[in-house]
Structure formats: structure tokens, C-alpha cells
Amino acid sequence: MKHRRTKLSQNRLLNMSQQAVNGVSHRGKVLTLDSMNPNVKRVEYAVRGPIVQRAVQIEKELKEGVKKPFTEVIKANIGDAHAMGQKPITFLRQVLALCSYPELLEDNMFPEDAKKRARRILESCGGHSIGAYSASQGIECIRQDVARYIERRDGGIPSSPDNIYLSTGASDAIVTMLKLLVCGEGRSRTGVMISIPQYPLYSAALADLGAVQISYYLDEDKCWSLDVAELRRALNAARQHCNPRVLCIINPGNPTGQVQSRQCIEDVIRFAKEEHLFLMADEVYQDNVYAEGCKFHSFKKVLFEMGPEYSSTVEMASFHSTSKCYMGECGFRGGYMEVINMDPEVKAQLTKLVSVRLCPPVPGQALLDLVVNPPQPDEPSYTTFMKERTAVLAALAEKARLTEETFNTVPGITCNPVQGAMYTFPRITLPQKAIDKAKEEGQVPDMYYCMRLLEEEGICLVPGSGFGQREGTFHFRMTILPPTEKLKVVLQKIREFHLRFTQEFS
């Protein structure tokens, strides 16, 4: 008995010594893969996934003098216009410079309309500084300008600043809106309808929130069009295991570049009303429309033109950003959301939720103000502004045409017209031997294809599997943002690689 007590005492001492050596616990980490939030582990974001991480490694290797079959990595994986060489719009940067360093207001090199915008913004900031916090919903005069912009865009349909929430890019507002919408457990858990292919922000946010993703497929054979019959199929199937409450639309499309017709938007709005769904309209590419016969129609405009049966009942949030269109100012993280027909009590909760984050970046808010309130014809900056804006959009339209035409000359690659946005999502035919090889390597086939392309040609694309695609099909997403001459090189390199890759595995 005494021997047993001694043994127990020794074990306790041993445990105590393991638990604290010099006051430091040795019981293992508090936060481990097993003990962390399981939802976070389910989050995937292909746009900055393994391929991009490898691309960064290769760039370091090139700097260290490692010999490769190429001299630079061309990152065509993300819609980052300035990183791809697009020049900032002069007027936007002039006003931001004045806001950042107000002493420049005394400098004669800045035009008067830029100074006027800067003074107005600074007067709306605490201490006349963009370094001060703003109201959580955003600076009031900027929300007023956003509302006026929406009214002009939509032909006079009223917009209230009270329904405008400025945000850290559109992404922040989209995630905030999903947070409000997700509730329930088991079969009553909120289901959110998203297009396939989709922008991975949506699937990532739904995984993080523990919501149910309801996939509806765009029709590749009809230029990635949206069909209400497919929406209904997806909805009815999902009702067996969740409570569908939200329908997300991206128009113009990312990654697929389609622009929805007015008739399609009307059909979607009718469907949302019939099925009692909250509509989320991601419209960040609204100025990026290139194809003849295509036109951007805002969901809000169509909703209100359909009459009060719809405009007074369908609940909706629409999103815009400073990161895309002709601006491409991704790093400033400016954006807004407009809410329509939201329950006033829920709106109070939304305002509370955004206040926890204090406020969106004030420089981003200032930039957004210039996007929605650009130089007017009687102002000194107007001519240069319009020339720069037109040149950016015209170049993108030309690159959209060039990309589609080039890919469609390559055997085994088919590419729909890039009607809008800033990406192409071509379909690639892969030999069965390549598919088998990918499986051997533990990779999905289009990931294997894109990784080989990166290693052999230095071109960074995102495999279609990162966006979702129909079973048995393979794609990649490529941005059309590189300068035209560089884009021609990229397209030629992809052509040569695809033919070589196909030959290797045929």
C-alpha cells in the first residue's frame, strides 16, 4: 500500500513538472488543428490558393538566380488592375493626394475641381483629417453622393442615403449581409443559392458561417446564361435538407464574364418573389461591358420598373466597389451596399453589426466619392478624366475580343465571348492519361494542368475547380488585365503549352 502511494506521488510530481517548467505550460497548445473552429478549416479561396503560393516561391527563386525557362511570373490569376500595369486615373489620385496631405491645397499644380472635392471631403472628416474614424455607416455626404449616383444610373428611381452602407470593398458588405441572413439548425439551417462557376468569396463565406451552399449551374453552351428552370431545380433539391432563403447573383459575371439580359433579370426577380428569397446582387463590374448588344441593367432599376407588386416587397441588397471597372483601385478597399425593403428592426441590427468594425477605411470612402461624383463637363478635369476612363474600358474591350479569338484557335480549348467583367473562363479538353496522372499526383486535373503551366511557362492562372464546374469538365480562369502586348505573349505561351501538354499525354 505504501509502495502504491509513493508511486502515485511520483506520478503527480512528474505530471506537475511536465505541466510547468519555469512557469511555462507543457500540456500542448491551446489552439491546434483539432481544437480550432472547424468552419475555418472548410474555407477555401482558390484565387489566392496553392498555385499563387507556388508562384510567389518561384518569384523568390528567380531573384536568387535559379534558372527557369522564363524570366518572370505573370500573375493572371486575380483582377488586380494596377498590379498588371494599369495606370491610376489622374483625378482620383489628385484628390486623394490633397486629402492625405492638405498642405497641397495651396499648390497651383492641382486643378480647382480636385481641390473643391478634397475640401468637401475633409470638411466631413473629424478634425478635417482622413486619419479620423468616420460614422460606422460611412461619411454622410459620401452616402448622399452614392444615393445621387444610383438615382442617375437608374433613370431617377429614388435612393436614400439611409439605405447606403459604405464598406471595405464589396466583399466586406457581402459577408456582413450573409451574417445577418444565416440562422437555424439542421433542416432549418439557411441555404444560400450561388452560381456555379462562382466567385470563391461566396463559398468561403458560407463555409465560415456554417450555412448551406445551394449550387445552381450557369449554361456554358448558352454563353454562361442563367436559366430559371435550373434555379428551381436547385431550390427544390435543397429543400430536402435546408431552408433556402437567399439568392446570390453576380452580374456581370465572375469568373464567366456574361452580362445578363433585362428579361433574365426580370425572371430572376419573379422567381425570388415567388419563392420568398432575399436577393443579393453583386454588381461590381457594372462599367465593364464590352460585347455588342449587351448592356448593364441594375437589379434595382429592373425591380422598380416591374411595379409596386415587386418593388415594395422583394428584399434586396446590391453591391459596388472601387476595385474594378475603369478604376481598378483594389488596395483602397472602397465599396458600398444599398439595401431595399429591409425590415427597419433588422436594419437597426445591421447598423449595430457594422459599428463593431468601427468604420470602413476613410481613404477608400474618399475614393468612392470620386467614382460616384466624377468631374462634370464644365470642370477643368473633365476632358482628361473622360479620356483616361474611355481608354481603359476600350483597351479591356479589345483584350476581351483578342482573348476569345485566340483561345478558340487552339485545338482542345473553347472560349465563350467575354461579354463583360475582366476574366475569361475557357473550357479545356484534357486527355485521359493526363487525368490519370493528376490523380496519381493527388491533384484534380485542372489544378495539375495549371501547376504545370506555372512551372514550365511562368504563367499563374486559377483552375476551374476553384470556382466550381460541371462534373467531367475542366476550365481555368484568366484575367484579361495584362497590357495588350504582354497579353499576346501570355496567350501564345498558353497555346504552346496546351498543344505540348496534349501531345505528351495523347
PDB file of all heavy atoms in Angstrom, residues 319-332:
ATOM      1  N   PHE A 319     -24.442  45.565 -54.477  1.00  0.00           N
ATOM      2  CA  PHE A 319     -23.063  45.868 -54.061  1.00  0.00           C
ATOM      3  C   PHE A 319     -22.268  46.466 -55.211  1.00  0.00           C
ATOM      4  O   PHE A 319     -22.425  46.063 -56.372  1.00  0.00           O
ATOM      5  CB  PHE A 319     -22.370  44.580 -53.587  1.00  0.00           C
ATOM      6  CG  PHE A 319     -23.159  43.826 -52.557  1.00  0.00           C
ATOM      7  CD1 PHE A 319     -24.085  42.860 -52.930  1.00  0.00           C
ATOM      8  CD2 PHE A 319     -23.007  44.104 -51.202  1.00  0.00           C
ATOM      9  CE1 PHE A 319     -24.833  42.172 -51.987  1.00  0.00           C
ATOM     10  CE2 PHE A 319     -23.750  43.418 -50.243  1.00  0.00           C
ATOM     11  CZ  PHE A 319     -24.664  42.458 -50.633  1.00  0.00           C
ATOM     12  N   HIS A 320     -21.397  47.422 -54.871  1.00  0.00           N
ATOM     13  CA  HIS A 320     -20.477  48.002 -55.854  1.00  0.00           C
ATOM     14  C   HIS A 320     -19.150  48.285 -55.149  1.00  0.00           C
ATOM     15  O   HIS A 320     -19.077  48.297 -53.919  1.00  0.00           O
ATOM     16  CB  HIS A 320     -21.084  49.262 -56.463  1.00  0.00           C
ATOM     17  CG  HIS A 320     -20.382  49.732 -57.704  1.00  0.00           C
ATOM     18  ND1 HIS A 320     -19.564  48.922 -58.458  1.00  0.00           N
ATOM     19  CD2 HIS A 320     -20.371  50.951 -58.333  1.00  0.00           C
ATOM     20  CE1 HIS A 320     -19.096  49.616 -59.483  1.00  0.00           C
ATOM     21  NE2 HIS A 320     -19.555  50.842 -59.433  1.00  0.00           N
ATOM     22  N   SER A 321     -18.103  48.527 -55.961  1.00  0.00           N
ATOM     23  CA  SER A 321     -16.750  48.599 -55.422  1.00  0.00           C
ATOM     24  C   SER A 321     -15.899  49.560 -56.243  1.00  0.00           C
ATOM     25  O   SER A 321     -16.200  49.823 -57.406  1.00  0.00           O
ATOM     26  CB  SER A 321     -16.149  47.180 -55.479  1.00  0.00           C
ATOM     27  OG  SER A 321     -14.753  47.206 -55.342  1.00  0.00           O
ATOM     28  N   THR A 322     -14.816  50.058 -55.639  1.00  0.00           N
ATOM     29  CA  THR A 322     -13.846  50.881 -56.376  1.00  0.00           C
ATOM     30  C   THR A 322     -12.746  50.022 -56.990  1.00  0.00           C
ATOM     31  O   THR A 322     -11.845  50.543 -57.644  1.00  0.00           O
ATOM     32  CB  THR A 322     -13.188  51.915 -55.439  1.00  0.00           C
ATOM     33  OG1 THR A 322     -12.493  51.215 -54.395  1.00  0.00           O
ATOM     34  CG2 THR A 322     -14.204  52.860 -54.824  1.00  0.00           C
ATOM     35  N   SER A 323     -12.802  48.712 -56.786  1.00  0.00           N
ATOM     36  CA  SER A 323     -11.692  47.842 -57.176  1.00  0.00           C
ATOM     37  C   SER A 323     -11.705  47.462 -58.653  1.00  0.00           C
ATOM     38  O   SER A 323     -10.679  47.046 -59.180  1.00  0.00           O
ATOM     39  CB  SER A 323     -11.724  46.559 -56.339  1.00  0.00           C
ATOM     40  OG  SER A 323     -11.608  46.855 -54.972  1.00  0.00           O
ATOM     41  N   LYS A 324     -12.846  47.564 -59.297  1.00  0.00           N
ATOM     42  CA  LYS A 324     -12.972  47.053 -60.674  1.00  0.00           C
ATOM     43  C   LYS A 324     -13.313  48.203 -61.626  1.00  0.00           C
ATOM     44  O   LYS A 324     -12.861  49.306 -61.457  1.00  0.00           O
ATOM     45  CB  LYS A 324     -14.037  45.943 -60.719  1.00  0.00           C
ATOM     46  CG  LYS A 324     -13.826  44.853 -59.672  1.00  0.00           C
ATOM     47  CD  LYS A 324     -12.469  44.173 -59.759  1.00  0.00           C
ATOM     48  CE  LYS A 324     -12.254  43.161 -58.642  1.00  0.00           C
ATOM     49  NZ  LYS A 324     -10.905  42.588 -58.642  1.00  0.00           N
ATOM     50  N   CYS A 325     -14.098  47.923 -62.666  1.00  0.00           N
ATOM     51  CA  CYS A 325     -14.497  48.912 -63.681  1.00  0.00           C
ATOM     52  C   CYS A 325     -13.263  49.567 -64.302  1.00  0.00           C
ATOM     53  O   CYS A 325     -12.305  48.894 -64.621  1.00  0.00           O
ATOM     54  CB  CYS A 325     -15.466  49.927 -63.080  1.00  0.00           C
ATOM     55  SG  CYS A 325     -16.980  49.137 -62.447  1.00  0.00           S
ATOM     56  N   TYR A 326     -13.269  50.898 -64.449  1.00  0.00           N
ATOM     57  CA  TYR A 326     -12.112  51.598 -65.027  1.00  0.00           C
ATOM     58  C   TYR A 326     -11.134  52.024 -63.942  1.00  0.00           C
ATOM     59  O   TYR A 326      -9.997  52.402 -64.228  1.00  0.00           O
ATOM     60  CB  TYR A 326     -12.575  52.840 -65.812  1.00  0.00           C
ATOM     61  CG  TYR A 326     -13.252  53.879 -64.932  1.00  0.00           C
ATOM     62  CD1 TYR A 326     -12.517  54.902 -64.339  1.00  0.00           C
ATOM     63  CD2 TYR A 326     -14.616  53.821 -64.675  1.00  0.00           C
ATOM     64  CE1 TYR A 326     -13.127  55.832 -63.502  1.00  0.00           C
ATOM     65  CE2 TYR A 326     -15.228  54.747 -63.848  1.00  0.00           C
ATOM     66  CZ  TYR A 326     -14.485  55.746 -63.269  1.00  0.00           C
ATOM     67  OH  TYR A 326     -15.087  56.655 -62.433  1.00  0.00           O
ATOM     68  N   MET A 327     -11.550  51.974 -62.668  1.00  0.00           N
ATOM     69  CA  MET A 327     -10.729  52.494 -61.572  1.00  0.00           C
ATOM     70  C   MET A 327      -9.616  51.519 -61.203  1.00  0.00           C
ATOM     71  O   MET A 327      -8.446  51.886 -61.121  1.00  0.00           O
ATOM     72  CB  MET A 327     -11.576  52.767 -60.328  1.00  0.00           C
ATOM     73  CG  MET A 327     -12.759  53.701 -60.533  1.00  0.00           C
ATOM     74  SD  MET A 327     -14.222  52.859 -61.219  1.00  0.00           S
ATOM     75  CE  MET A 327     -14.798  51.884 -59.856  1.00  0.00           C
ATOM     76  N   GLY A 328      -9.998  50.277 -60.920  1.00  0.00           N
ATOM     77  CA  GLY A 328      -9.035  49.246 -60.543  1.00  0.00           C
ATOM     78  C   GLY A 328      -8.281  49.542 -59.260  1.00  0.00           C
ATOM     79  O   GLY A 328      -7.184  49.034 -59.045  1.00  0.00           O
ATOM     80  N   GLU A 329      -8.881  50.342 -58.370  1.00  0.00           N
ATOM     81  CA  GLU A 329      -8.191  50.770 -57.133  1.00  0.00           C
ATOM     82  C   GLU A 329      -8.437  49.760 -56.014  1.00  0.00           C
ATOM     83  O   GLU A 329      -9.037  50.070 -54.978  1.00  0.00           O
ATOM     84  CB  GLU A 329      -8.663  52.174 -56.724  1.00  0.00           C
ATOM     85  CG  GLU A 329      -8.278  53.274 -57.710  1.00  0.00           C
ATOM     86  CD  GLU A 329      -6.840  53.772 -57.524  1.00  0.00           C
ATOM     87  OE1 GLU A 329      -6.072  53.117 -56.784  1.00  0.00           O
ATOM     88  OE2 GLU A 329      -6.490  54.805 -58.120  1.00  0.00           O
ATOM     89  N   CYS A 330      -7.936  48.531 -56.216  1.00  0.00           N
ATOM     90  CA  CYS A 330      -8.211  47.434 -55.281  1.00  0.00           C
ATOM     91  C   CYS A 330      -7.706  47.717 -53.865  1.00  0.00           C
ATOM     92  O   CYS A 330      -8.362  47.389 -52.880  1.00  0.00           O
ATOM     93  CB  CYS A 330      -7.560  46.153 -55.775  1.00  0.00           C
ATOM     94  SG  CYS A 330      -8.019  45.686 -57.446  1.00  0.00           S
ATOM     95  N   GLY A 331      -6.515  48.301 -53.766  1.00  0.00           N
ATOM     96  CA  GLY A 331      -5.865  48.442 -52.467  1.00  0.00           C
ATOM     97  C   GLY A 331      -6.528  49.421 -51.528  1.00  0.00           C
ATOM     98  O   GLY A 331      -6.312  49.359 -50.311  1.00  0.00           O
ATOM     99  N   PHE A 332      -7.355  50.333 -52.063  1.00  0.00           N
ATOM    100  CA  PHE A 332      -8.006  51.320 -51.191  1.00  0.00           C
ATOM    101  C   PHE A 332      -9.221  50.749 -50.461  1.00  0.00           C
ATOM    102  O   PHE A 332      -9.710  51.357 -49.509  1.00  0.00           O
ATOM    103  CB  PHE A 332      -8.424  52.560 -51.996  1.00  0.00           C
ATOM    104  CG  PHE A 332      -7.292  53.519 -52.222  1.00  0.00           C
ATOM    105  CD1 PHE A 332      -6.585  53.522 -53.409  1.00  0.00           C
ATOM    106  CD2 PHE A 332      -6.917  54.411 -51.233  1.00  0.00           C
ATOM    107  CE1 PHE A 332      -5.526  54.392 -53.611  1.00  0.00           C
ATOM    108  CE2 PHE A 332      -5.861  55.295 -51.425  1.00  0.00           C
ATOM    109  CZ  PHE A 332      -5.164  55.284 -52.623  1.00  0.00           C
TER     110      PHE A 332
END
